Amino acid sequence: MFVIGIDFGTESGRVLLIDAATGEIVCTDQTLYPHGVMDRNFIDGSTLPDGWALQHPDDYLEVIRCSIPKVLKLAGAAPAEVKGIGIDFTASTILPAKADGTPLCKVPALKNSPHSYVKLWKHHAAQPYAEELNQKARQREESFLQRYGGEISSEWMIPKVMQVLREAPEVYHAADRFIEAGDWVVWQLTGVETRNACAAGYKACWDRSEGYPSKRFFQELDPQLSNFIGTKIPLEVVDVGSFAGTVTPYWAEQLGLSPQTAIAVATIDAHASVPAIGVNQTGEMVIAMGTSFCHMLLGEKQISIPGIPGAVDGGIILGVTGYEAGQPAGGDMLGWFVRNLISSQLGTDAKTNHAQIHQVLTERAAMIPAGGTGLLVLDWFNGNRSVLMDADLSGIIVGLTLTTKPEEIYRALLESMAFGTRIIIEAFEKQGVDVDVIHACGGVAVKNSLFIQILADVTRKTIYVNEVDYAPAIGAAMLGAVAAGIYETLEDASKQISNLSRKPYSPIPANSGTYDEVFRMYHQLHDSFGYGNVLKNLKKIKTTVRG
């Protein structure tokens, strides 16, 4: 008896076939998105403005078509043996669609409009509309704003929809729905449209007791948005782990599945990691470390925490408040450095030693003592999510000289991610929300033990690394198992399927003392540039002169 978990990431999708009784990963397959991330050039080759990040929805279906039959064949699994499928997805990754689920980019009259395509989570071009929304919400003293730390991010759904309305009204009015890509994939597989409580709560300003923001708010924000909720966004929201429907006959035939295969309501990728590594107690923080970092903390009660952009009742586990914070540049930032700024000699050394460049840089960076780079970095290479919530901010490297080495910059980048996490932890603890335990999972956590040690030293907390691969997909598979009725609750599935193998990294007191001193300087730099206008003015000048 098997279940399938599908993890839709930023650049690819991964399918896991899991034994529903033991949690054993039977086999896995990955499919790259054919169109990739369109953040420089549109599908027709034209140049996209800064801050854009688009995808093609056909790529998500390509993952399903390619990888599900492949894992079934590798495992020799019969169609009837697969009982359920769960899906996790990046968020807020949204697309406009017709009432039957057809993406607007597939409508001939609209296919040449960038606004008809998927806006990926890291699409930041909606920042002006996020600021407009925040200003109106503050004027009206809207209660929903406090659940998001006082700011709605440009990464969230409503600012992105506003951008479509203002910049491509023909696309907005042609859209019968705006929908999270995870919910759209579930819709395609089942023929049933659902909205999951995780994405609705964290990314669309929905609350279990209050619902979405009021019609009056949207009316004042823009009269054309007055009926947005209830038409383009259906009112009904469904809990994570719920049964969405069974796979349609078309997809059953395409994929080699039984038409009775249950499909679970979707969830956000990082949030699926929490049950996957067996975390279910308040005070436990899980940091999913991939292209970006997402910090999830289980709390006893829902309170407003400045700079923490999400507090959702039942958003991760029913009956518990799930807090979300994040750093939008993690592995992405390290990848940018390696692709663009390393010397040809270092690349040659890596090839000679049959090692990845990241490995060579990490080994050399490990030889540098804490505080020994002479550098400070603000890790805002993709804007700042927590605690400043401003996508218009950009990265900074301070202290460079003609003798600075690549490994020194690399270590400073690692330290900046740890300092950013400490900022987040302190924001929680200042409001009386304890962070007792930190669990780390994802590619950066598993592959870079130096970073985890730096994180332990900077935060003065023991970090537990769950070395299981594919935590989001495992969590998604758990949702599929619950939807299929194999387990009654997500907690039951987690107890049976989750991987509890954890490696602890304890802080080294001498390093922590040095980092306390460096962190004070980091905090000064953080506040100076985070609340000042230098970075935003630079961006405005760049936009003006380059068009």
Side-chain angles (χ1 to χ4, degrees):
M1 182 168 59
F2 303 111
V3 289
I4 288 175
I6 311 176
D7 171 35
F8 289 92
T10 299
E11 299 177 344
S12 66
R14 181 173 294 278
V15 171
L16 262 63
L17 185 70
I18 292 179
D19 186 308
T22 66
E24 177 191 359
I25 298 175
V26 180
C27 54
T28 179
D29 188 66
Q30 181 182 24
T31 297
L32 296 174
Y33 298 146
H35 296 90
V37 177
M38 294 179 277
D39 55 3
R40 293 190 178 184
N41 297 105
F42 186 44
I43 198 165
D44 62 3
S46 59
T47 301
L48 290 168
D50 281 351
W52 281 65
L54 306 178
Q55 288 189 322
H56 198 303
D58 281 355
D59 292 357
Y60 311 143
L61 302 184
E62 186 70 8
V63 171
I64 294 169
R65 284 194 180 95
C66 292
S67 288
I68 289 183
K70 192 173 292 186
V71 297
L72 295 180
K73 182 178 180 179
L74 288 171
E81 291 183 286
V82 180
K83 301 300 182 181
I85 297 175
I87 290 166
D88 73 75
F89 220 106
T90 62
S92 183
T93 295
I94 70 164
L95 66 150
K98 303 301 288 184
D100 63 357
T102 301
L104 290 195
C105 64
K106 305 281 283 184
V107 175
L110 298 171
K111 68 178 183 179
N112 294 324
S113 171
H115 286 290
S116 69
Y117 288 75
V118 176
K119 284 184 169 60
L120 187 59
W121 66 269
K122 62 178 182 177
H123 177 90
H124 290 146
Q127 182 64 33
Y129 307 103
E131 293 170 359
E132 180 183 350
L133 184 153
N134 289 323
Q135 182 179 15
K136 178 60 67 176
R138 282 191 286 267
Q139 287 175 354
R140 288 178 47 82
E141 298 182 345
E142 290 283 346
S143 60
F144 74 82
L145 199 61
Q146 299 311 307
R147 296 195 300 274
Y148 300 91
E151 295 275 345
I152 300 300
S153 169
S154 65
E155 295 179 359
W156 288 191
M157 174 180 271
I158 297 174
K160 289 175 177 173
V161 172
M162 290 174 66
Q163 185 187 13
V164 177
L165 172 60
R166 301 289 178 72
E167 298 180 13
E170 71 283 0
V171 174
Y172 177 84
H173 292 296
D176 297 312
R177 299 286 190 272
F178 283 92
I179 187 166
E180 289 284 346
D183 290 330
W184 180 79
V185 171
V186 170
W187 190 2
Q188 299 307 294
L189 288 176
T190 64
V192 179
E193 181 184 3
T194 57
R195 303 295 172 122
N196 75 84
C198 186
Y202 289 107
K203 312 299 180 181
C205 303
W206 173 84
D207 180 70
R208 190 171 297 277
S209 59
E210 296 182 8
Y212 291 102
S214 68
K215 180 176 181 177
R216 183 178 292 276
F217 169 74
F218 282 109
Q219 172 73 28
E220 290 191 18
L221 184 61
D222 189 311
Q224 296 179 88
L225 290 169
S226 59
N227 294 318
F228 171 63
I229 301 298
T231 55
K232 298 181 189 293
I233 301 290
L235 291 171
E236 184 180 3
V237 175
V238 186
D239 282 328
V240 169
S242 298
F243 171 79
T246 54
V247 67
T248 66
Y250 168 81
W251 280 110
E253 181 180 356
Q254 289 284 308
L255 305 177
L257 295 169
S258 164
Q260 301 306 311
T261 306
I263 308 294
V265 171
T267 192
I268 299 175
D269 54 352
H271 301 62
S273 301
V274 177
I277 61 175
V279 171
N280 55 23
Q281 299 297 314
T282 59
E284 294 190 85
M285 173 179 279
V286 175
I287 309 177
M289 300 177 175
T291 54
S292 63
F293 284 12
C294 188
H295 306 66
M296 295 147 291
L297 179 66
L298 301 181
E300 294 181 357
K301 56 185 179 179
Q302 188 179 38
I303 65 172
S304 175
I305 302 176
I308 302 302
V312 179
D313 179 11
I316 302 175
I317 296 174
L318 287 179
V320 179
T321 294
Y323 291 95
E324 176 200 300
Q327 294 164 268
D332 256 0
M333 179 174 64
L334 301 178
W336 163 83
F337 176 69
V338 167
R339 287 192 306 271
N340 293 283
L341 297 181
I342 65 157
S343 67
S344 57
Q345 180 58 49
L346 195 149
T348 300
D349 291 347
K351 291 178 182 178
T352 301
N353 297 326
H354 303 288
Q356 296 282 345
I357 294 174
H358 285 283
Q359 179 183 335
V360 173
L361 285 168
T362 299
E363 290 172 355
R364 295 182 181 182
M367 302 300 292
I368 302 169
T373 66
L375 303 173
L376 266 178
V377 174
L378 291 178
D379 62 324
W380 303 342
F381 289 70
N382 207 16
N384 180 282
R385 185 178 305 156
S386 303
V387 295
L388 299 171
M389 310 250 295
D390 193 337
D392 277 343
L393 296 174
S394 51
I396 294 174
I397 303 177
V398 174
L400 292 169
T401 72
L402 294 177
T403 62
T404 299
K405 296 179 179 180
E407 57 266 30
E408 292 174 326
I409 300 176
Y410 196 79
R411 183 177 180 110
L413 292 172
L414 297 177
E415 291 171 343
S416 75
M417 296 189 295
F419 291 143
T421 290
R422 178 165 168 176
I423 290 278
I424 292 168
I425 292 171
E426 290 186 353
F428 279 114
E429 294 183 336
K430 285 178 182 177
Q431 299 299 317
V433 178
D434 294 332
V435 180
D436 299 322
V437 179
I438 298 177
H439 303 270
C441 61
V444 176
V446 172
K447 296 175 183 177
N448 199 309
S449 59
L450 172 61
F451 170 67
I452 300 300
Q453 185 59 59
I454 290 172
L455 183 63
D457 294 341
V458 167
T459 61
R460 289 184 176 268
K461 295 181 183 292
T462 299
I463 312 296
Y464 295 91
V465 174
N466 188 300
E467 296 185 340
V468 64
D469 290 327
Y470 324 128
I474 293 172
M478 290 179 185
L479 298 178
V482 174
I486 299 172
Y487 298 102
E488 185 174 349
T489 67
L490 183 56
E491 292 91 328
D492 293 338
S494 179
K495 290 175 183 177
Q496 193 67 28
I497 298 176
S498 64
N499 188 308
L500 301 180
S501 175
R502 298 165 182 166
K503 181 178 180 179
Y505 289 76
S506 299
I508 300 170
N511 290 351
S512 295
T514 299
Y515 278 134
D516 283 346
E517 185 177 356
V518 179
F519 179 72
R520 284 192 288 272
M521 291 183 281
Y522 173 89
H523 212 309
Q524 183 179 2
L525 198 67
H526 173 282
D527 289 355
S528 177
F529 282 94
Y531 296 110
N533 294 317
V534 171
L535 299 178
K536 292 187 176 184
N537 288 339
L538 285 172
K539 186 174 184 177
K540 287 179 182 178
I541 293 171
K542 176 185 175 182
T543 301
T544 300
V545 300
R546 297 181 65 171

